[in-house]
Every structure is written in structure tokens, then in C-alpha cells.
Amino acid sequence: MNTLDDQLLDDLNDLPGWEALTASPSPAPSSEALDRSATAVREAIAVDAARARSADVIRSRAKSIHSARRRRTRWAVGAGAVAAAAALVIAAPTLSTPGIAPVSVASASEFLTHLAAIAPAVTSIDAAYWKVTSTSVNLANPAPGSDQVQTTTVWYGRNGGEWIQTGSEKLMKVSNAPARFTLPYDAALSWAQVAEMSSDPIALDTHLKTLVGARGSIIDAVGILLATAPLTSSQRAAMFTILSTQPGVTKRDFVKDELGRIGTALDFPFGPTETVTLLLADDGTLLEVTAVASVDHEKVLDSPRLVGGTPGPASTEITKKGRVLSRQTYLSVGGTNTTPGA
């Protein structure tokens, strides 16, 4: 064993009940199982350390940094000990717990911090066009046809121009101006402005909040850019770090999108009545964005009409908790040198 293994065993010996547990006779695990366990322990410690670094970057509490580091070190050791115990249980014979389903121990924040650490290199980011194909449905919109799934492909030209094709309709060039990656409430970034965005989480968080304004959401902005924009791996890492610090985010494992692809769902509270879910693949690719009603609530469908010169009642409906309000599923996103329509 190396020094890290010795330290882990020392920490385990301090856990209540550990001595009694190890004193019980049990079959010796194989060397292969022990290797897997040790790897799991080291990965858990690496995630804890990365999370601590991310917390430092976002919160930047200069006055308390010394004590904060000591607290984080203590937490990392504790988390490592728990991971070690879990890994050894995996290596040892399984204990049956009827009626209790396995639970993932990694939090949403830890998962996002992991993605920030492993964000892979971006390919085709220097191509002539950035092409995004997605399907969408807006079930909250009462307009006819909004509840029908619609496939859309958009081409963004590096040197200007934007093309769009919806369903089987003819490809249209909608702009000759520099391509604009649209954010909430009329904010937009050109391809050049996307390339100039900071990879520092604090600076990027401030920049995006300024762009979308008080009415906009940082979750919305980051989700749209992760899904549609030609980001570098370091920019993506910064965005995962920003998401990891959002209050109330929770994680669900092994969730399928509309195409049957499996990912990790991150649920973000979005105002008092909605939850926005980002479904991410293991490499951080954004597969799907869904908005769901988080509580029963009344929605105004149109403005009050004049009845005898005074406003009459507005048309409303009750939206039930759990109802899907909108869904955007990303089929393919990436760079191409093929001319739109060719």
C-alpha cells in the first residue's frame, strides 16, 4: 500500500463500529476487486478536492480562506473515508437490504464539478458553420400546433449569415448579419463574442447576468449556450462550475430523453411554479432541456376583455404539478464546413 492507502485506513479505524466490522470473518476479496475499490476511493477524493477548488473560485471569501481550507480538508478526508467504506463493502460479499433501493451518493454539485474537471476538447469549433438540430414542443402555449413536436435545424455562419429549416419546409436564409446566439429577453452573442467569453467562472457569471438582466436567468443562459454555442472546453468547464453553485439543484440518475438516450438529470428551481431540467450525458453534452410545473398554479391565457366599458374576467387555466410545459431535445450539435442546403 502507498501513503494514501495508509492514511485511508487510519481514517477508517476512527469510524465508530469499524473495529467490530473488520473483526467479523468474511471471505477475502480478490485483488481485482480491491483494485476497483481503491480506484473508486481515489476518484471520490479527487472529486471532493475539485469541488473545494470550485467553491473557492465562486465564493472567493478572502477573509476566511485559511479557515475554509482547513474545513474543506477535513471534509475531504471524511468523504474519502466514507467512499473507502463503500468501496470495501462492494468488494466484500453483498448484504441484502430488502425494500431499500440503491441510492447514488454523488450530489448534483459534485457531478457538475466532475464535468468541469473532465470537459473534453472541442472538435470542429473552427469550422465555417455551426449546425444545431433539435426538436421542440411548447405544451404551455395555447396557440394551435404548439403541442406538436417540431424539428428545426439552424446554421450559424462564422463569417456571417444564419439559415433555418423547420420540418420539411424549404431552407431559408434569415440573416446576412453576423450570426447571433440568442439568450433570454433579447440578449444575443455573435460568434466572435462567444469566442471572447471568459473561462473564469466569476467573470463569466457576472457577464452573463449583465446580458440577460434582472428578468433573465443564469440557468437559462448557461443552458442555451451549452446546448447551441461553439464553446471551448474551458468555457464549458466554467459554465458547469457556475451551475454547480446554484441553490436547490438536485440530481436524478439514468433518465431517458425523448430519443431514449440515458443521461443525468439536473433539476433547477425556476421561479415559484416551475422546475427546469438539464439532461446531460456523461461527457457534459446537453441532451435535453425540459420545463415542468413544480406546483399547481393558475395561468392567465389572455388579457381581460372589455365588458360594457370595463375590463371583464381574463381567460385562465389550472396547470397541474408535474405537467411538462416545454421540451427541447438536441439531436446533433457541432461544426461543419458543408454549405447549408448543399
Side-chain angles (χ1 to χ4, degrees), residues 91-272:
T94 302
L95 299 177
S96 176
T97 52
I100 301 177
V103 177
S104 173
V105 297
S107 70
S109 181
E110 288 168 334
F111 174 70
L112 285 161
T113 301
H114 167 70
L115 290 183
I118 63 139
V122 179
T123 58
S124 304
I125 199 170
D126 295 324
Y129 304 95
W130 193 254
K131 182 181 177 183
V132 179
T133 299
S134 64
T135 63
S136 62
V137 59
N138 189 355
L139 300 173
N141 188 342
S146 296
D147 59 348
Q148 301 298 309
V149 176
Q150 180 173 272
T151 301
T152 303
T153 300
V154 181
W155 285 261
Y156 302 92
R158 172 180 292 277
N159 297 315
E162 192 170 325
W163 296 256
I164 188 169
Q165 185 171 24
T166 302
S168 58
E169 295 179 5
K170 184 178 179 181
L171 174 71
M172 296 178 56
K173 187 172 186 179
V174 295
S175 173
N176 288 313
R180 292 168 60 82
F181 297 88
T182 305
L183 298 176
Y185 300 105
D186 300 325
L189 292 166
S190 68
W191 193 316
Q193 289 171 327
V194 169
E196 293 168 356
M197 286 194 308
S198 175
S199 296
D200 174 76
I202 295 176
L204 183 58
D205 182 70
T206 300
H207 178 54
L208 293 178
K209 285 178 177 175
T210 301
L211 279 176
V212 301
R215 295 173 60 208
S217 162
I218 188 67
I219 297 167
D220 231 355
V222 168
I224 289 171
L225 290 171
L226 281 173
T228 65
L231 303 173
T232 65
S233 57
S234 58
Q235 287 173 330
R236 292 176 68 223
M239 291 189 183
F240 291 136
T241 300
I242 291 170
L243 290 178
S244 74
T245 66
Q246 300 307 305
V249 57
T250 56
K251 179 173 80 76
R252 292 178 288 127
D253 296 317
F254 308 113
V255 176
K256 289 184 179 181
D257 70 0
E258 285 299 288
L259 300 180
R261 299 174 297 184
I262 297 176
T264 299
L266 300 172
D267 299 320
F268 297 86
F270 198 78

Side-chain angles (χ1 to χ4, degrees), residues 262-284:
I262 297 176
T264 299
L266 300 172
D267 299 320
F268 297 86
F270 198 78
T273 61
E274 291 183 23
T275 295
V276 168
T277 298
L278 306 184
L279 184 64
L280 296 166
D282 288 344
D283 65 352

Side-chain angles (χ1 to χ4, degrees), residues 32-45:
E32 184 176 301
L34 287 174
D35 286 342
R36 289 198 303 268
S37 301
T39 299
V41 172
R42 294 187 181 99
E43 288 179 349
I45 293 174

